Amino acid sequence: MGVTWAQPRQNSVEALCYGINQFDGVEFDLRLTTDGELVLHHDNTTKDDNYVELLSSDEMKPFADKFDELLARKDFTTPWQEQGKTVCIELKSPHPSSGVGGGWKGGSKRVEYISSMIKMVDDAIAEFELPEGTTVLYSFDKKFLPAVKTAGWSHPKARLMPTLREWGSGNLQRAIAAPSFIAHSLPRLMRKHQKWGAPMIPCTLDYLHGINRHLTLGTSVALTGKGLEKLTKARKGFPAFVWPVRVHHEKLILDAGLTPLTDDASPEITHLPDGSPRLTRPASEPLFDGQHVPWHEMTNDSRKEFLSAQRNRWQWSRSVDQLMAATSENQIPWEVPRIICHRGAGKTTF
């Protein structure tokens, strides 16, 4: 019998190195410690209920790895640099009660705080000379876009919407975000992101699946039927990265031409619920002429043929020539659907 896979802690170096090699890319969260270190941590408090931004990097060692430790791993940076893998970085704002970043007032101090984080990320990854289409930075914070402008961030950015606050329970956060969710249909959010110059839109599955998708004002879209036709027509290839996703929704999202952020990273999941093989690298190792070929090993003619077929299937607005101009052996156009592993190797409670 084989060894049962042990899921690594979310946002850990181990999880992220696993995810970027087994999938098309990874998503992770960054917070800033009191001594100015970026750490890989999602929640605003540690397991012993201390605010992350009030702890030093040494005090955070039992709970989180450092961003620098991740960047020191070749098995993470090489796929990112050379194999067309995608890295989505979410910046986390401090809890208002910590008093950091302007506390409950926010304002210019919040912009300064987030801007400092952005500059630190930019400086940390500069040495890797990453291809343009491999990295995106985003945040729920309303001050994020002004902070991006202040920091002079050199890579693509996007906004997480509707805004989820750093305070309150999950249910309270969703309740507060409900008016914004209702006021913004997914097509409207896409237009906003295009105006901001974002290469994609990160969006919750609620916009596309289940009863909540009918609550938004404007065009209601879906993953199947007439709703999918409306979505395909509205987005014209503009990419949507959808979260949270479990394995039973992956194929549905990929077949809609979208990118799922999956929480199911186990190598033991080799088939989907319908019995079909699970494809974990549809972008970085696509199925071409009946074989899985790593993107960085494909010829330009093969990439062009692959992109042309995808463009026709999902009615992308960019021409094949424009897509090829955004293509190289280590860069995949944003339009291509991929599977991103959420928090490295999926969400965990430890």
Side-chain angles (χ1 to χ4, degrees):
M1 294 180 64
V3 178
T4 301
W5 182 67
Q7 183 181 11
R9 185 188 71 216
Q10 65 178 19
N11 283 320
S12 64
V13 168
E14 181 185 359
L16 290 160
C17 289
Y18 171 85
I20 202 168
N21 283 282
Q22 298 303 316
F23 293 82
D24 288 318
V26 291
E27 182 268 0
F28 58 85
D29 309 284
L30 289 179
R31 290 187 179 275
L32 187 61
T33 62
T34 188
D35 56 341
E37 289 278 1
L38 292 169
V39 292
L40 301 154
H41 198 269
H42 177 270
D43 296 347
N44 50 40
T45 60
T46 58
K47 292 295 183 182
D48 51 4
D49 291 328
N50 288 306
Y51 294 125
V52 174
E53 54 272 13
L54 296 182
L55 298 177
S56 69
S57 53
D58 283 343
E59 291 171 316
M60 281 298 297
K61 279 184 179 179
F63 311 106
D65 297 330
K66 295 180 183 180
F67 186 41
D68 285 348
E69 293 172 334
L70 178 65
L71 298 182
R73 291 283 294 266
K74 291 290 186 182
D75 52 343
F76 182 83
T77 57
T78 297
W80 193 6
Q81 290 173 288
E82 301 177 6
Q83 298 172 16
K85 298 300 181 97
T86 304
V87 172
C88 306
I89 305 173
E90 181 179 345
L91 291 190
K92 291 292 190 178
S93 299
H95 192 288
S97 293
S98 71
V100 176
W104 287 97
K105 291 183 179 180
S108 61
K109 288 187 177 180
R110 179 60 61 92
V111 174
E112 291 173 9
Y113 185 89
I114 299 172
S115 178
S116 69
M117 291 182 71
I118 294 171
K119 289 177 181 177
M120 291 177 68
V121 175
D122 215 358
D123 289 345
I125 65 176
E127 67 177 277
F128 300 104
E129 299 181 351
L130 298 165
E132 175 66 21
T134 61
T135 310
V136 63
L137 185 74
Y138 48 60
S139 174
F140 277 113
D141 201 294
K142 288 184 176 181
K143 300 296 184 181
F144 175 69
L145 292 180
V148 165
K149 186 175 181 180
T150 299
W153 171 247
S154 59
H155 294 273
K157 84 286 186 182
R159 261 290 309 275
L160 285 163
M161 295 181 70
T163 301
L164 291 179
R165 310 293 180 177
E166 279 291 332
W167 48 271
S169 66
N171 287 335
L172 179 59
Q173 288 177 338
R174 285 187 286 273
I176 294 172
S180 177
F181 175 83
I182 293 170
H184 295 86
S185 66
L186 186 55
R188 183 182 177 191
L189 284 181
M190 287 181 173
R191 290 192 294 271
K192 277 195 170 189
H193 276 71
Q194 288 172 313
K195 183 178 179 180
W196 294 332
M200 45 70 82
I201 177 172
C203 71
T204 173
L205 183 60
D206 286 343
Y207 280 111
L208 296 159
H209 187 74
I211 193 170
N212 286 345
R213 71 182 182 86
H214 297 291
L215 300 178
T216 59
L217 300 176
T219 304
S220 176
V221 294
L223 294 172
T224 58
K226 294 292 184 181
L228 176 57
E229 291 178 13
K230 292 178 183 178
L231 174 64
T232 302
K233 183 178 180 180
R235 71 185 190 90
K236 298 178 181 178
F238 189 69
F241 283 38
V242 185
W243 53 270
V245 175
R246 304 310 300 249
V247 68
H248 55 276
H249 283 136
E250 283 179 8
K251 188 174 186 296
L252 196 62
I253 293 169
L254 287 171
D255 284 347
L258 311 178
T259 289
L261 271 67
T262 187
D263 276 309
D264 288 321
S266 172
E268 297 167 6
I269 305 175
T270 59
H271 288 76
L272 300 175
D274 65 1
S276 61
R278 186 190 191 195
L279 305 179
T280 58
R281 296 181 292 277
S284 60
E285 196 171 320
L287 185 62
F288 185 76
D289 283 346
Q291 293 183 320
H292 291 284
V293 184
W295 181 267
H296 62 284
E297 295 179 5
M298 294 174 72
T299 65
N300 274 338
D301 286 344
S302 295
R303 293 190 192 107
K304 187 172 184 178
E305 184 178 342
F306 173 78
L307 291 173
S308 179
Q310 297 246 316
R311 177 183 181 272
N312 291 337
R313 180 180 180 185
W314 288 301
Q315 303 172 33
W316 297 346
S317 61
R318 288 206 289 182
S319 68
V320 174
D321 287 342
Q322 288 173 322
L323 292 166
M324 287 300 294
T327 297
S328 69
E329 65 181 15
N330 53 18
Q331 182 174 339
I332 304 171
W334 286 102
E335 287 92 335
V336 177
R338 57 205 81 191
I339 297 186
I340 304 297
C341 213
H342 191 212
R343 302 183 193 175
K347 180 180 177 180
T348 65
T349 56
F350 56 92

